Amino acid sequence: MLELKQLTLLLHNEPMFPAVNLSVPTGQLISIMGPSGSGKSTLLSAIAGNLSAIFSLQGDILLDDESVLGKRAAQRRIGLLYQDDLLFPHMNVEQNLAFAVPATTTGRQRAQRIVRALEYAGLEGFLKRDIATLSGGQRARISLLRTLLAEPRAVLLDEPFSKLDKALREQFRDWVFDELQRCETTAILVSHDISDCGDSRVYDLKKGALL
Amino acid sequence: MAKALRTVSQVTRSTDTAPIEGPLRTALQFFPGLTATLFILPVLLGLLGTWLPAFGYLPSIGADSFSLQPWRNLLDNPGIGKALGISLLSSWGAMLLSLLISCVLLAGCWQSQLLRWLQRSLPLLLAVPHAAFAIGVVALLAPGGWLLRLLSPWATGLAAPPFFSLMNDPNGFGLLLVLTLKELPFVLFMSFIALGQLQVERTLYVCRSLGYADTSSWWRVLMPQLLPRLRLPLYAVLAYGLSVVDIALIAGPNTPPAFAVMLDRMFNHPDITTRLTGSAAATFLLLLTVGSLLLWFFVERLYLYWMSRRASKGHRRDNRFVRSLQVGAGQVTAVTLLIITAGAFVLLLLWSVSFRWSFPDALPDSYSLRFWQRGWQQLSLPIWYTLATGIASALIGLLLVVACLEHEVTRRRCSARNTGPRLFWLIYIPLITPQIAFLFGVQTVLLQVNAWGNLWSLVWIHLVFVIPYLFLSLSGPYRNFDDRYLQQAEILCGSEWRALWRVKWPMLLRPLLAVTALGFAVSVSQYLATLYIGAGRLPSVTTETVAIATGGDRRLIAVFALFQWLLPLIMYSLALLIPWYIFRHRKAMQLS
């Protein structure tokens, strides 16, 4: 479970939004809505542990009842998916995915996980493909697969559909929600577009309440 | 109850949320200080080791009381006035000409294919060692040089080399020309970097919308922004021109020579008391350099003031003739620079394989590889020392610079304050301090601690010059790297070291290898540093080349110069080939 307790961010000592009190049960997804500039992405950066030092934070962030505030981003095991896929251009598909799989797995297990993940995404045969030859939708799917293969305790999605065209957007959104459910991953999605939220519960950042 | 209290305290605490640093990042904080110490310390120690003898204090030769006698000896030196004149003419002339030509090129040829070619060629042009370049240009333009051979006798009517010469002329114009040609790529390179910080295209669009022609916009709007950003590089050009010895030996006059050459002769005079006069001369050179830098500062301010007044008048005169002249001059200059550099290289190749080549034949009468054999025999040990020193200083320099830049990037992430490079100006200290003003002092200090003529001492002194160039070249790509890749990698693999090693540095492989090659080229070029610190026991390709350049067999000189040229060329080729091979199946990592 991911809990945000009285969480707010301050910029020049001014709160960016009303304090957030939110609990996301394990395996569930909540969408956070707000207009551009309301602090949605900054909130995700704070949860992930990448908050710029020009902001200060009040409140707490708990993951499975444990505060993550004292931990570095790399230690929090919170995945982050941006609107840019940020696939590593010097690695092919397999290498990008393998990078995320925990080191505790054996070589054979890693290979199996990667192949299975690609099958779920409908990308069989893409193992050795160069990233630069993939379409936008394919890259977006591989980016999510990579995030999930790292076995995060939670996933944060920062407007992941905004760069996709309308037709692909709906398809990809549904697939993302299905994958998160299948992996029983707790997730927070931020967007300024209500259609990105699907059937998930929606929290309005400006109002400070669930809709 | 305790849990409730803990929860309340957690809820109400306000946290400074700078990303928490791991052990790797914590270790990096020592590198800026270590690096600065490594390359500033020799300069400071060296200056002290030069200033004391300048006032008569050098106990190792029995001079243990302060006096002004070295200064009196310096002023009594015949030819000192002319030597100073030659140095001032060549250094200021080269700086002003290279700046003017760069400005004309940029204003006249912006966005042209020619300028793009030139920009891509700049790293190669910069990698050409000074001495080899000077030898090639002198061979091109000398009385029996290739230019005259190509034009004789059909255009010039000459059947024998003329007596007049542009090179080694008594007034230093030949030296001025070679210095200008050598500094032009550097000034252009720094201009392109500086222009990257200005929104050139948008500025031109806005100026066009206000009724100004592009060339006019360049001079009135862009140059005034560019000039202050070029201040430090131009200081480096001035300082280099005043203190250069190897190019002055090859292309400059002999009697009297440039001031730095005169100084060098004092340090190497059989009469060791002349070292004191040499120290006074070196101190004077330092003062002259500081004075020149201050003068340029005022000239720059004056120019900016004048240009701002002119620009405020709103004149939108578009003189087509002047515009065409600028474009033409820019194009001619760019082509000339490329032709001269390529011509110098080809000429050296021809001389190196010629057996007999009479004037005015355009090509050798007969060919032979015997001078390559002789050259290899004489240079095999210097080549080894050059490779060892060059590779060591390039790799150590790279490690230090990457650590410093990584620390800077991390601090930027972790600090609310503007953590722009506060110590950036320190990088320029070795570049604007005349080498000869502190190398003698370093030599003295190393002698005291029994480290003179030691390979690691030589690597250390080379680092003093390598690190600034590495920093200048790598800082752009490193600071502009999209850090979200690194954040993503750290989240995915849970290790900052792994994220650096497997993601960030491979993605930066091309610039990392390019600057390593540049560091190697800078090390290869070092003449005075190798001479003074190597103690004659660690000869390099450069010291051997300069040694024979002023009196040896032209064919052997050509071989030596080519070895000097080829070593960095090989490194640059590797820097291009290695990423090309590694990323041959990675389209996004290929050069566009």
Side-chain angles (χ1 to χ4, degrees):
Chain A
M1 176 152 75
L2 175 63
E3 289 178 82
L4 310 178
K5 286 199 162 169
Q6 285 287 103
L7 188 70
T8 192
L9 301 176
L10 304 171
L11 178 63
H12 307 309
N13 291 320
E14 292 292 323
M16 293 178 72
F17 42 76
V20 178
N21 280 292
L22 195 59
S23 286
V24 188
T26 305
Q28 299 232 347
L29 178 142
I30 281 184
S31 301
I32 295 180
M33 288 279 309
S36 294
S38 54
K40 308 184 297 296
S41 298
T42 316
L43 175 62
L44 292 194
S45 295
I47 299 169
N50 291 321
L51 190 67
S52 168
I54 60 170
F55 301 100
S56 54
L57 182 151
Q58 274 183 349
D60 204 355
I61 303 165
L62 297 158
L63 196 51
D64 299 333
D65 292 322
E66 189 192 342
S67 176
V68 297
L69 286 183
K71 293 187 178 177
R72 288 181 284 128
Q75 292 172 320
R76 295 188 186 193
R77 287 184 56 210
I78 297 177
L80 195 47
L81 199 65
Y82 290 105
Q83 47 186 276
D84 297 319
D85 49 75
L86 296 177
L87 294 175
F88 306 135
H90 62 299
M91 297 180 178
N92 63 17
V93 170
E94 183 185 15
Q95 288 163 337
N96 264 279
L97 296 177
F99 186 81
V101 177
T104 46
T105 51
T106 64
R108 195 170 166 168
Q109 283 171 330
R110 299 168 86 79
Q112 282 174 347
R113 282 199 202 181
I114 290 167
V115 167
R116 235 181 295 134
L118 286 172
E119 282 169 2
Y120 281 128
L123 296 171
E124 301 89 339
F126 275 63
L127 213 53
K128 302 292 181 188
R129 284 278 293 266
D130 179 9
I131 297 299
T133 62
L134 303 176
S135 69
Q138 289 164 346
R139 294 171 69 107
R141 272 183 278 168
I142 290 170
S143 184
L144 177 66
L145 288 181
R146 186 179 64 178
T147 305
L148 294 175
L149 278 170
E151 296 173 4
R153 295 193 289 170
V155 170
L156 310 174
L157 302 113
D158 188 355
E159 306 209 40
F161 318 123
S162 60
K163 283 203 167 169
L164 302 173
D165 62 62
K166 198 176 172 193
L168 191 54
R169 212 165 159 150
E170 269 182 38
Q171 196 187 26
F172 184 60
R173 185 202 63 210
D174 293 341
W175 180 77
V176 165
F177 287 11
D178 288 343
E179 276 303 294
L180 289 171
Q181 206 170 43
R182 185 181 65 77
C183 298
E184 293 179 15
T185 307
T186 312
I188 294 180
L189 178 144
V190 303
S191 179
H192 63 273
D193 186 344
I194 192 79
S195 66
D196 285 345
C197 303
D199 296 329
S200 62
R201 286 191 298 157
V202 178
Y203 181 92
D204 190 315
L205 197 59
K206 274 288 175 201
K207 288 181 185 162
L210 283 165
L211 296 178
Chain B
M1 176 73 169
K3 191 179 172 190
L5 280 173
R6 217 179 330 127
T7 308
V8 166
S9 69
Q10 281 168 353
V11 161
T12 55
R13 79 171 176 233
S14 174
T15 320
D16 279 334
T17 51
I20 298 156
E21 293 182 8
L24 178 67
R25 298 283 154 79
T26 310
L28 288 177
Q29 66 185 308
F30 298 109
F31 276 87
L34 173 67
T35 308
T37 307
L38 261 176
F39 76 83
I40 298 297
L41 192 64
V43 177
L44 294 176
L45 281 177
L47 286 174
L48 195 64
T50 303
W51 288 339
L52 290 173
F55 292 94
Y57 188 78
L58 189 59
S60 56
I61 64 167
D64 45 17
S65 57
F66 289 94
S67 99
L68 289 176
Q69 191 55 43
W71 293 89
R72 289 190 207 104
N73 294 343
L74 175 65
L75 291 170
D76 289 340
N77 211 298
I80 183 171
K82 183 109 195 258
L84 279 169
I86 290 165
S87 291
L88 285 167
L89 169 75
S90 53
S91 58
W92 274 92
M95 190 273 281
L96 289 170
L97 275 175
S98 54
L99 175 63
L100 179 66
I101 294 170
S102 298
C103 293
V104 167
L105 246 172
L106 292 167
C109 302
W110 184 252
Q111 297 290 48
S112 69
Q113 185 65 23
L114 181 63
L115 196 65
R116 274 195 281 270
W117 277 351
L118 188 58
Q119 192 178 4
R120 274 196 217 122
S121 314
L122 282 176
L124 270 178
L125 292 172
L126 284 170
V128 177
H130 302 124
F133 181 77
I135 290 169
V137 172
V138 167
L140 207 54
L141 303 175
W146 207 22
L147 182 64
L148 267 182
R149 285 168 186 265
L150 291 171
L151 297 172
S152 304
W154 62 275
T156 63
L158 291 168
F163 288 113
F164 65 86
S165 172
L166 183 57
M167 293 293 118
N168 305 113
D169 65 291
N171 297 307
F173 288 111
L175 177 58
L176 165 60
L177 175 65
V178 173
L179 271 176
T180 304
L181 289 170
K182 194 65 192 87
E183 297 297 1
L184 182 55
F186 175 68
V187 175
L188 266 174
F189 181 73
M190 298 310 292
S191 299
F192 280 117
I193 292 179
L195 286 171
Q197 300 162 12
L198 307 173
Q199 298 197 45
V200 177
E201 290 307 316
R202 285 214 183 150
T203 304
L204 291 173
Y205 292 153
V206 167
C207 291
R208 280 174 207 158
S209 71
L210 294 169
Y212 287 94
D214 279 3
T215 43
S216 194
S217 308
W218 267 99
W219 290 102
R220 288 164 203 251
V221 180
L222 286 166
M223 294 307 175
Q225 296 179 68
L226 178 63
L227 209 53
R229 286 172 166 84
L230 285 180
R231 189 180 303 145
L232 286 174
L234 291 175
Y235 281 173
V237 170
L238 251 183
Y240 179 74
L242 281 168
S243 62
V244 69
V245 170
D246 45 0
I247 296 186
L249 280 170
I250 295 165
N254 288 314
T255 318
F259 188 66
V261 175
M262 185 181 270
L263 219 168
D264 180 50
R265 285 179 188 168
M266 288 177 194
F267 280 135
N268 292 295
H269 202 274
D271 177 5
I272 55 172
T273 58
T274 324
R275 309 280 193 275
L276 301 175
T277 314
S279 298
T283 307
F284 181 75
L285 182 61
L286 178 65
L287 293 171
L288 188 66
T289 307
V290 170
S292 292
L293 304 190
L294 279 171
L295 181 60
W296 174 246
F297 178 78
F298 287 115
V299 167
E300 178 205 300
R301 296 275 102 194
L302 207 63
Y303 170 79
L304 291 174
Y305 173 72
W306 173 72
M307 189 45 87
S308 72
R309 301 263 329 236
R310 205 160 159 245
S312 309
K313 291 189 174 149
H315 294 306
R316 286 155 168 80
R317 278 191 295 264
D318 179 21
N319 189 326
R320 281 193 188 168
F321 174 71
V322 170
R323 195 166 19 116
S324 306
L325 197 64
Q326 265 185 128
V327 172
Q331 288 170 341
V332 164
T333 312
V335 170
T336 305
L337 179 62
L338 291 170
I339 287 177
I340 286 182
T341 309
F345 183 74
V346 170
L347 180 60
L348 288 175
L349 264 175
L350 284 174
W351 268 115
S352 72
V353 295
S354 72
F355 183 67
R356 223 169 77 148
W357 195 357
S358 322
F359 188 91
D361 296 337
L363 288 174
D365 307 316
S366 53
Y367 296 86
S368 167
L369 286 175
R370 72 171 63 184
F371 292 97
W372 276 98
Q373 282 172 326
R374 265 177 68 187
W376 175 248
Q377 277 163 9
Q378 291 181 29
L379 282 180
S380 43
L381 189 62
I383 287 175
W384 154 245
Y385 283 130
T386 305
L387 284 172
T389 317
I391 292 171
S393 48
L395 291 178
I396 296 171
L398 182 72
L399 170 74
L400 292 171
V401 169
V402 166
C404 290
L405 286 170
E406 189 58 44
H407 172 69
E408 184 199 303
V409 163
T410 307
R411 273 192 73 205
R412 214 181 329 143
R413 244 196 289 164
C414 296
S415 172
R417 284 168 295 140
N418 178 9
T419 56
R422 290 182 297 187
L423 302 179
F424 183 69
W425 61 271
L426 271 181
I427 295 291
Y428 273 92
I429 287 180
L431 302 184
I432 62 177
T433 311
Q435 282 193 17
I436 204 160
F438 66 90
L439 281 174
F440 174 69
V442 174
Q443 187 188 61
T444 313
V445 169
L446 288 175
L447 257 168
Q448 300 295 322
V449 299
N450 228 10
W452 187 46
N454 176 301
L455 186 64
W456 287 110
S457 301
L458 189 59
V459 170
W460 184 31
I461 204 70
H462 277 215
L463 271 174
V464 170
F465 306 104
V466 164
I467 286 175
Y469 283 102
L470 291 192
F471 196 91
L472 286 171
S473 304
L474 189 59
S475 54
Y478 213 90
R479 286 175 185 146
N480 292 332
F481 180 76
D482 187 344
D483 243 9
R484 291 178 307 163
Y485 283 108
L486 188 64
Q487 287 171 9
Q488 190 69 250
E490 283 180 3
I491 289 170
L492 290 169
C493 69
S495 160
E496 51 193 4
W497 172 251
R498 250 186 106 207
L500 279 172
W501 185 251
R502 292 204 52 201
V503 176
K504 183 168 182 176
W505 290 338
M507 288 178 71
L508 287 172
L509 188 65
R510 209 169 248 110
L512 287 172
L513 287 179
V515 302
T516 309
L518 174 67
F520 179 81
V522 170
S523 172
V524 167
S525 278
Q526 292 308 309
Y527 170 67
L528 277 182
T530 309
L531 210 59
Y532 278 64
I533 308 306
R537 286 178 234 159
L538 303 169
S540 71
V541 175
T542 300
T543 56
E544 298 305 289
T545 304
V546 176
I548 73 161
T550 48
D553 186 313
R554 229 183 272 211
R555 293 162 292 189
L556 196 59
I557 295 171
V559 169
F560 276 38
L562 281 170
F563 268 115
Q564 198 201 14
W565 202 318
L566 284 171
L567 288 176
L569 203 59
I570 290 169
M571 289 301 173
Y572 265 100
S573 304
L574 286 173
L576 283 172
L577 287 170
I578 291 172
W580 169 79
Y581 180 75
I582 292 175
F583 300 134
R584 63 195 184 285
H585 299 306
R586 301 284 176 267
K587 220 163 126 178
M589 294 296 294
Q590 281 155 22
L591 281 171
S592 50

